[in-house]
Amino acid sequence: MMSRALVHVPKTATQGGVIAIKTLISHPMETGYRHGDTGARIPRNIINRFTCTYNGEEVFRADLHPAVAANPYITFHTVATETGVLAFTWVADDGETHTELANITVD
Amino acid sequence: MMVMMTTMDHGANILGSERARPTRRIVLRGFCALAGGAALGAVAAPQTARATPEEKDAAIKQVTGGATVQKGRVHLDIPPLAENGNTVAMTVKVDSPMTAADYVKAIHVFNEKNPQPDVISFHLGPRAGKADISTRVRLADSQTVTAIAQMSDGTFWSDSADIIVTLAACTEDFIP
């Protein structure tokens, strides 16, 4: 498992309202352009994909490249359509994935 | 100290000798040429590992498929001056009603001085409600960053911003 991830989703929202979502995950985002102490190239290992699904339906996706800073922080918006679960998934080059869930109550 | 003295004496001897002078000069010239070549190579190498404005344009073309990119509707917010290129806050907003009929499909961000021209791509739809995204990026040098928005009607819009980076993101570590 990857290290800590933080997501901020409002607990409640009015139906049809646009909510702001903030996400942060700890990851070195190794670019593959750096060399270690021995001069050997440090292999690339970045989070290359981030997705957000709302009750199973994808509402946001990002393709990340080495130019994204370490500990990727992404904020975006979505429409609060119904009460349910938002799932956030980060996928890294080495195959590691991390998923966070957040519940939202819509009235 | 003794060693220094002897080497200095030795040097003086060589300088003093008429026969040794041209040889030493030639040898030194040879070394200088070698060192210069090596230094040039070291300086030039990181340049080749970087993307260029042309590469950025090529990457943009790959996304747009050659369609014309119009200026406007996109707002790319990055600070005009960043002290640390390792984390530069960036916000992209696109003017769009974000309805099922008219929405932003994707936003792509490009740079021209990092090793790769791509920075990040966002894929969204009418359910995003608002095309307003923030993240943090790495920038290897002072440069122009460009954001391209792809609308649901197939049009492309862009905004560019110049940024001065004081401390570049791992410049010294570029692959030769």
Side-chain angles (χ1 to χ4, degrees):
Chain A
M1 283 297 268
M2 257 177 246
S3 323
R4 256 161 70 84
L6 294 169
V7 294
H8 182 266
V9 179
K11 283 190 171 59
T12 57
T14 51
Q15 188 163 29
V18 177
I19 54 165
I21 296 167
K22 295 178 183 179
T23 67
L24 178 70
I25 186 163
S26 66
H27 193 277
M29 292 293 279
E30 194 57 62
T31 60
Y33 293 100
R34 299 200 309 139
H35 293 255
D37 294 339
T38 58
R41 180 176 159 186
I42 304 168
R44 182 183 124 151
N45 183 26
I46 65 163
I47 290 171
N48 54 52
R49 176 159 291 200
F50 166 73
T51 48
C52 171
T53 59
Y54 194 140
N55 280 348
E57 195 187 328
E58 184 181 291
V59 291
F60 180 82
R61 187 174 93 238
D63 298 327
L64 287 75
H65 296 276
V68 175
N71 306 324
Y73 165 80
I74 298 172
T75 71
F76 56 97
H77 295 80
T78 195
V79 177
T81 50
E82 56 194 349
T83 299
V85 183
L86 283 101
F88 305 87
T89 307
W90 292 263
V91 182
D93 284 343
D94 61 3
E96 273 193 311
T97 60
H98 185 96
T99 302
E100 285 283 324
L101 302 173
N103 294 305
I104 186 165
T105 308
V106 176
D107 45 34
Chain B
M1 200 58 192
M2 274 303 289
V3 175
M4 239 179 109
M5 285 300 282
T6 46
T7 48
M8 274 173 78
D9 283 347
H10 187 62
N13 280 344
I14 289 171
L15 279 176
S17 157
E18 285 297 321
R19 284 179 65 192
R21 201 175 271 175
T23 323
R24 181 175 180 268
R25 197 170 289 164
I26 287 159
V27 168
L28 274 176
R29 248 181 225 157
F31 274 124
C32 285
L34 272 175
L40 266 177
V43 170
Q47 296 297 326
T48 56
R50 290 195 182 189
T52 58
E54 291 74 40
E55 276 183 49
K56 181 173 89 169
D57 293 341
I60 290 170
K61 211 168 178 181
Q62 214 167 29
V63 162
T64 61
T68 46
V69 179
Q70 301 166 77
K71 288 240 175 263
R73 289 185 74 175
V74 183
H75 306 280
L76 175 63
D77 286 339
I78 49 170
L81 187 132
E83 283 181 15
N84 187 352
N86 281 304
T87 48
V88 181
M90 180 190 84
T91 301
V92 194
K93 291 176 193 168
V94 184
D95 298 331
S96 168
M98 295 306 276
T99 58
D102 184 3
Y103 60 92
V104 180
K105 259 179 134 169
I107 302 167
H108 307 272
V109 182
F110 301 96
N111 78 90
E112 55 189 26
K113 295 282 177 71
N114 287 17
Q116 291 176 8
D118 307 276
V119 177
I120 191 164
S121 297
F122 305 109
H123 303 271
L124 45 173
R127 287 194 61 173
K130 187 154 84 166
D132 180 350
I133 301 158
S134 296
T135 189
R136 294 178 191 144
V137 299
R138 287 180 175 132
L139 294 171
D141 205 348
S142 301
Q143 56 181 303
T144 306
V145 179
T146 303
I148 307 273
Q150 181 183 4
M151 303 297 183
S152 54
D153 61 2
T155 57
F156 290 91
W157 299 80
S158 81
D159 188 22
S160 293
D162 294 323
I163 178 166
I164 295 166
V165 178
T166 332
L167 173 65
C170 47
T171 315
E172 73 277 13
D173 288 326
F174 281 159
I175 292 168

